[in-house]
Amino acid sequence: MPVSVMLVGGARPNFMKLAPLFHAFRRSAMFQVSVVHTGQHYDQQMAGSFFAELGLPQPDIALSVGSGSHAVQTARILERFEEQLREHQPDMVVVVGDVNSTIACALAAAKFEYTDGRRPRIAHVEAGLRSFDRTMPEEVNRVLTDALADYLFVTEQAGVDNLRREGVADARIFLVGNVMIDTLLGQAEEAASRAAWRRFGLQPQSYAVATLHRPSNVDDPANLARLFSALETAADRLPIVFPVHPRTRSRLAAAGLAGSGTLFLCDPQPYTDFLSLLSGARVVLTDSGGIQEETTILRVPCLTLRENTERPITIERGTNRLIGIDPAVIVRELDAVLGQPMPRTAPPPLWDGAAAERIVAILEKAFAALQAARPAAAAVR
Ligand code: UD1
């Protein structure tokens, strides 16, 4: 009997992590994989386009939960995902990243017991990252998901150290690299040849890319206004392409803020187009987690509009700087970066395009051991 795996995604940053995992599970003779889309993100630009672009099949299961407060969204996913566990009885649930879909599906699985006493095992991909800032919703999701998962797949050594400090047994921790970078490396050539900067009339290495979506930056009107004015000043130095997340779009509209001159606001971009924009950028200004990692691999300077990061390797490599949201500091740091050559840093260990393969190889061994120990009920904990 194949081991059945449910691969769960819900928000934009999840889909580029799911794709290499899906393909690696499909290549294994041991696993039968299905894809669950919780529907946390539902716009074509935030979710739909990623499936076609990354070679993911249409989801086998769509929970269609949509937007809501944290409690409402998490509760809807919990309820609807539990129904799927009951119906399909997967041997393993794989969750990625740190969004509400991640914790909700891990929690539903952790408390679920099938009628024959089996429980689904839980794998968390991108485990162990910590900003040590519990006011970030994602930090809460990370800590809780890691407390529940059986297999913790980690992207960088700091994540291993964090988990050990929290008392997680070494047997549950696996440093495997970064599945999001698997996808990036697979698409890098296509992204470069797409030259997405041309659509804005720009030349490579002569413009910046900006993104903003953290609630602490965009939901507070004063912070949003400060950041926007910093971007307007920065756009006098070099043109800025600013693909606008739906959360930010509604906050900017409410504040009456719009792009002008060389500050180009546009819709969220398809994955490969966005990667193309990043790869041609002279500098990136962002509050995203994933973009800090992508710029490290692309060797593009990244100015992170936050006080902390859960991804310290990006700082250690020298591509990323934490600069906060003071407009004077942002412009000063931008000027400093523009006066320096582009970084020439080596990629972090194991960020080599093979992380998903490593994860599946580890899980093959783990399930082979379980089946050998308990042939009749391979997934009993
Ligand atoms: C979520 C994640 C965040 C991740 C981000 C990437 C959590 C707690 N946060 O934040 O970690 O970095 O996704 O994008 O899970 N909306 C749309 N269309 C969509 C999705 C959302 O219009 O397809 C609007 C809705 O008004 C919604 C708002 O955007 O209320 C925010 O969406 P939500 O899923 O709550 O969180 P994000 O801010 O996207």
Side-chain angles (χ1 to χ4, degrees):
M1 279 282 282
V3 174
S4 56
V5 179
M6 263 187 185
L7 211 48
V8 180
R12 179 171 62 173
N14 296 158
F15 303 123
M16 46 273 216
K17 298 169 195 168
L18 289 194
L21 288 166
F22 173 80
H23 295 300
F25 276 118
R26 277 286 288 270
R27 281 193 290 274
S28 163
M30 180 181 252
F31 297 106
Q32 187 175 52
V33 61
S34 59
V35 174
V36 179
H37 177 14
T38 65
Q40 176 174 346
H41 286 174
Y42 42 84
D43 284 359
Q44 177 64 11
Q45 297 154 326
M46 295 297 286
S49 71
F50 286 72
F51 279 81
E53 250 189 310
L54 301 176
L56 279 168
Q58 282 308 300
D60 300 279
I61 297 165
L63 303 183
S64 307
V65 297
S67 299
S69 69
H70 283 275
V72 165
Q73 190 175 57
T74 309
R76 272 193 213 137
I77 301 170
L78 267 169
E79 243 178 52
R80 295 185 194 180
F81 190 63
E82 188 187 55
E83 285 168 22
Q84 300 302 324
L85 292 173
R86 189 172 295 112
E87 186 176 336
H88 299 284
Q89 311 213 347
D91 296 308
M92 178 165 56
V93 171
V94 179
V95 294
V96 298
D98 57 14
V99 302
N100 287 343
S101 302
T102 312
I103 174 58
C105 294
L107 183 55
K111 293 184 169 184
F112 204 81
E113 187 176 307
Y114 302 128
T115 46
D116 61 3
R118 284 186 312 132
R119 287 171 184 280
R121 297 182 83 81
I122 303 164
H124 183 206
V125 175
E126 205 181 82
L129 298 182
R130 297 288 180 268
S131 65
F132 303 101
D133 174 2
R134 293 276 176 109
T135 66
M136 267 180 96
E138 295 85 353
E139 181 75 352
V140 177
N141 294 340
R142 290 191 275 261
V143 170
L144 297 180
T145 304
D146 287 343
L148 300 171
D150 300 286
Y151 308 104
L152 299 168
F153 295 109
V154 184
T155 52
E156 58 171 290
Q157 182 59 38
V160 174
D161 301 341
N162 293 334
L163 292 171
R164 284 190 178 140
R165 213 177 303 115
E166 290 172 20
V168 177
D170 277 353
R172 286 167 58 205
I173 306 173
F174 305 91
L175 182 62
V176 290
N178 193 326
V179 290
M180 195 184 67
I181 302 303
D182 291 3
T183 298
L184 184 154
L185 294 175
Q187 304 275 326
E189 212 173 301
E190 163 67 19
S193 72
R194 214 172 265 202
W197 50 83
R198 277 198 234 134
R199 276 194 268 124
F200 300 88
L202 299 169
Q203 299 292 324
Q205 265 84 62
S206 70
Y207 65 92
V209 171
T211 79
L212 284 178
H213 77 284
R214 293 250 90 77
S216 58
N217 283 343
V218 304
D219 289 358
D220 178 326
N223 285 351
L224 182 63
R226 275 151 59 83
L227 280 163
F228 200 80
S229 83
L231 291 182
E232 285 176 326
T233 311
D236 292 337
R237 307 288 203 276
L238 78 176
I240 300 183
V241 181
F242 180 6
V244 186
H245 183 283
R247 172 192 284 281
T248 312
R249 184 174 56 215
S250 69
R251 303 297 185 267
L252 287 174
L257 297 170
S260 62
T262 49
L263 179 55
F264 301 106
L265 269 56
C266 59
D267 283 337
Q269 298 291 298
Y271 175 76
T272 314
D273 285 351
F274 186 70
L275 193 57
S276 182
L277 283 173
L278 282 187
S279 69
R282 176 66 182 84
V283 57
V284 173
L285 297 113
T286 189
D287 62 6
S288 153
I291 294 172
Q292 296 171 49
E293 299 183 333
E294 289 167 337
T295 47
T296 294
I297 291 296
L298 295 169
R299 299 191 181 98
V300 175
C302 180
L303 298 175
T304 295
L305 307 167
R306 290 172 49 187
E307 302 294 342
N308 54 48
T309 181
E310 56 290 329
R311 293 158 158 97
I313 188 103
T314 61
I315 308 279
E316 288 156 27
R317 291 282 137 171
T319 48
N320 186 20
R321 298 188 68 148
L322 292 176
I323 63 166
I325 63 165
D326 179 338
V329 175
I330 293 171
V331 173
R332 194 182 70 217
E333 292 287 343
L334 177 67
D335 284 338
V337 161
L338 294 178
Q340 290 161 3
M342 296 294 273
R344 304 185 62 80
T345 180
L350 304 174
W351 291 23
D352 58 359
E357 292 292 343
R358 283 186 204 101
I359 290 171
V360 170
I362 289 164
L363 291 170
E364 278 177 345
K365 264 198 197 158
F367 275 87
L370 279 171
Q371 285 172 340
R374 278 183 279 238
V380 174
R381 283 205 242 195

